[in-house]
Amino acid sequence: MVATDPVRVLVTGAAGQIGYALVPMIARGAMLGPDQPVILHMLDIEPAAEALKGVKMELVDAAFPLLKGVVATTDVVEACKNVNIAVMVGGFPRKEGMERKDVMSKNVSIYKAQASALEQNAAADCKVLVVANPANTNALILKEFAPSIPDKNITCLTRLDHNRALGQISERLNVHVSDVKNVIIWGNHSSTQYPDVNHATVTANGAQKPVRELVADDNWLNSEFITTVQQRGAAIIKARKLSSALSAASSACDHIRDWVLGTPKESWVSMGVYSDGSYGVQPGLIYSFPVTCEKGEWTIVKDLKIDEFSRDKMDKTAQELVEEKELAKSCLN
């Protein structure tokens, strides 16, 4: 892509909390770099049409130099027209007293409709990132109903969990977060995900050391660290009375930026991608793996040693994804 051509970026659910945090980041260049002009396509549902108008007014008022245009609409076809990148934030949130099946059936119909609109209207090379929960399974539904979008172009967000894991390690060791790398989030973006530090390192005084060695507390790493990352979303809701919007928006930018512009040398990130059977994960699930990215393509990091503790956790989260897939199927029928 020539830097002078604007990239069209779709954000669904754009008037919501995450959308409101995300669109200025994109317009500032946090997603595609400081030289890449963008045209923002914002979609939301009819009841949010006025709020969406307000967001568009603010984008105009912010006078972002990289922002070459804004489409704000409640029409899914108009929203998807020629988009190069789609960030699917809109979804039906779980409300009190709702069963998982209720949430699933609502999201199945939303993602089925949006998949068809992308299939027919998006640019041929469109890259899709699903943020709305259940993210892995929403991405799978989207893939099912947008068959012409390549498998490799449909992903879901586990970068937020990845970044949370980096943050926990950096706080524990009192080091800068940019000195911690190669944590892994395996599996589902849910409380069964497995944050793995067995291959993670910290750079201190010019030398790289394993996180396990530096933390020197396996008990903490195998219990509290894992549950803190798994339950972090709930902890933020409890504290803020609202879900984590700022960090979700920021990590969505990280996910797309690394995917499009490449990961730094010698380091990987976590992305929910279509399984090819790597690490014994059933093909046909969207599962979070460690990946490296180059020239707009992601590749699963191969041949990492997996111990028994990890294997068990990786299998449990895969099992949950199999069950979600079945549940989604039953909602389709």
Side-chain angles (χ1 to χ4, degrees):
M1 251 176 248
V2 188
T4 48
D5 293 345
V7 172
R8 291 181 178 269
V9 183
L10 165 67
V11 176
T12 70
Q17 284 260 355
I18 296 174
Y20 187 67
L22 179 58
V23 292
M25 292 182 190
I26 299 171
R28 275 192 187 282
M31 180 176 275
L32 294 170
D35 306 314
Q36 177 61 63
V38 292
I39 295 172
L40 268 170
H41 288 227
M42 303 193 299
L43 175 70
D44 217 313
I45 51 176
E46 207 49 63
E50 272 307 297
L52 191 63
K53 220 178 268 175
V55 178
K56 182 176 178 175
M57 287 155 77
E58 284 203 75
L59 285 169
V60 170
D61 295 351
F64 293 110
L66 290 172
L67 188 58
K68 300 300 177 199
V70 181
V71 177
T73 182
T74 57
D75 173 15
V76 67
V77 170
E78 187 191 355
C80 292
K81 207 105 198 112
N82 302 323
V83 295
N84 308 102
I85 290 168
V87 186
M88 316 302 281
V89 179
F92 194 89
R94 187 167 182 166
K95 296 186 174 155
E96 223 172 321
M98 274 181 83
E99 290 299 322
R100 218 157 111 212
K101 184 157 172 96
D102 307 330
V103 187
M104 187 72 81
S105 64
K106 291 258 198 267
N107 280 297
V108 164
S109 54
I110 294 170
Y111 276 82
K112 192 175 166 182
Q114 294 189 347
S116 308
L118 281 170
E119 168 82 4
Q120 285 153 22
N121 302 286
D125 64 345
C126 181
K127 285 178 157 57
V128 183
L129 167 60
V130 177
V131 176
N133 285 322
N136 301 57
T137 300
N138 284 344
L140 206 54
I141 294 160
L142 196 141
K143 193 195 146 305
E144 211 55 31
F145 292 98
S148 72
I149 299 178
D151 294 350
K152 289 205 97 164
N153 282 20
I154 296 175
T155 63
C156 81
L157 187 72
T158 55
R159 182 61 176 269
L160 176 53
D161 311 295
H162 180 97
N163 288 351
R164 283 167 171 165
L166 293 174
Q168 289 303 307
I169 296 298
S170 88
E171 290 215 307
R172 175 79 180 197
L173 291 173
N174 202 11
V175 295
H176 196 273
V177 72
S178 58
D179 291 329
V180 189
K181 67 174 192 183
N182 296 350
V183 296
I184 301 167
I185 302 295
W186 297 102
N188 197 1
H189 174 62
S190 76
S191 59
T192 66
Q193 62 174 257
Y194 170 46
D196 176 3
V197 296
N198 290 322
H199 310 277
T201 60
V202 172
T203 306
N205 312 323
Q208 271 191 29
K209 291 216 166 111
V211 162
R212 265 208 192 270
E213 190 183 301
L214 288 174
V215 170
D217 184 347
D218 281 349
N219 191 26
W220 181 78
L221 284 172
N222 292 345
S223 55
E224 197 186 325
F225 163 74
I226 292 174
T227 50
T228 300
V229 176
Q230 288 171 337
Q231 307 289 341
R232 187 69 161 183
I236 288 168
I237 290 175
K238 201 171 168 216
R240 212 171 80 86
K241 310 290 175 268
L242 293 162
S243 64
S244 40
L246 176 164
S247 51
S250 181
S251 51
C253 287
D254 292 345
H255 174 112
I256 298 282
R257 188 187 61 241
D258 285 342
W259 188 4
V260 172
L261 303 176
T263 44
K265 282 241 173 302
E266 310 283 298
S267 72
W268 61 66
V269 294
S270 303
M271 279 169 70
V273 298
Y274 198 58
S275 171
D276 60 358
S278 293
Y279 295 103
V281 175
Q282 182 179 317
L285 293 177
I286 296 212
Y287 187 97
S288 180
F289 290 97
V291 301
T292 54
C293 306
E294 199 179 355
K295 300 195 175 84
E297 296 274 325
W298 54 264
T299 308
I300 294 173
V301 177
K302 302 283 188 189
D303 302 325
L304 294 172
K305 221 165 127 354
I306 304 296
D307 63 17
E308 224 173 298
F309 178 86
S310 299
R311 184 73 261 167
D312 179 55
K313 296 260 188 242
M314 288 161 68
D315 291 345
K316 279 200 172 80
T317 189
Q319 187 49 42
E320 184 181 54
L321 284 168
V322 171
E323 286 161 18
E324 276 188 20
K325 187 179 178 176
E326 290 308 311
L327 186 57
K329 266 203 188 127
S330 71
C331 294
L332 282 168
N333 304 334

